[in-house]
Amino acid sequence: MKHYRWQIALAAALIAATAVMYLGHWLMFGDAHHIFIYLVGDIAFLPIEVLLVTLVLHQLLQRHEKHERFSKLNMVVGAFFSEVGNDLISRLSKCDSEIDSTRGLLAVTGEWSARQFSAANAKLRRRQPQMMLKAEQLPILKDSLQSKREFLLRLLENPNLLEHQRVTDLLWAVFHLAEELSHRPDLSSLPQSDIDHLSGDVRRVYMSLLGEWTAYMGHLKKEYPYLFSLALRTNPLNPQASAVVA
């Protein structure tokens, strides 16, 4: 009740102000007929006014709020790729049995349109490359993920992620892979069956990473061309990538 007290007080004050102004009008001009004509006209227009406010204005405000949330979310996504994602794509791409095809599909250029980013993402969702995971790669991958654990935990605390299921799923996939590796003290003598199991976890992370990276690149292309330029020059799928402008 306390939460609504100020709203009730405001409503009462506005109604009282209206009554006082109508009373003042009647006292000055003594024309109740004129007052009621305009009162009925105002009441008749009220449904249209409600329609304009609730449907049109509300939709515009919602669209603006959604854009603001999307921008904040992409700031979080950008931090993720800078700290973890790009390095992880680079490491996991070495296990991709179809890496040449993947690089060709995601050879993003400055001329790409929004339709091309969407088409690339659609093609990614249909691909399931075999991950040729080797035992000697696992300790390095484990150490890399463990060193970023605190950063990933802070990302999960960000409320903006709650509205983006794909990014949340990506983070959980990364956490799951990190947990799988952390529960294996000796990664050098795993049986092939266990390596195959870990390969499935790696593929899940890898494909999710590529999908979000493509979507993020599309966002940068549209909203932040200068950041997009840097992201192009540091493409994690390109082994010759360099931030230096040649």
Side-chain angles (χ1 to χ4, degrees), residues 189-200:
S189 59
L190 297 178
Q192 187 59 44
S193 58
D194 198 37
I195 292 178
D196 291 342
H197 171 78
L198 290 172
S199 294

Side-chain angles (χ1 to χ4, degrees), residues 13-51:
L14 291 173
I15 293 171
T18 300
V20 168
M21 285 187 282
Y22 273 122
L23 178 62
H25 186 283
W26 181 76
L27 290 174
M28 285 189 292
F29 303 105
D31 190 353
H33 177 72
H34 182 269
I35 292 175
F36 282 108
I37 287 176
Y38 279 95
L39 178 62
V40 172
D42 290 340
I43 293 174
F45 183 73
L46 189 59
I48 297 178
E49 188 174 0
V50 171
L51 175 68

Side-chain angles (χ1 to χ4, degrees), residues 157-199:
E157 295 171 358
N158 193 302
N160 292 306
L161 289 177
L162 298 176
E163 299 184 26
H164 201 303
Q165 188 62 43
R166 292 201 317 271
V167 177
T168 305
D169 289 344
L170 167 59
L171 290 178
W172 279 119
V174 173
F175 266 109
H176 176 73
L177 177 59
E179 287 295 303
E180 288 275 5
L181 294 174
S182 68
H183 281 82
R184 291 166 171 80
D186 185 9
L187 294 170
S188 61
S189 59
L190 297 178
Q192 187 59 44
S193 58
D194 198 37
I195 292 178
D196 291 342
H197 171 78
L198 290 172
S199 294

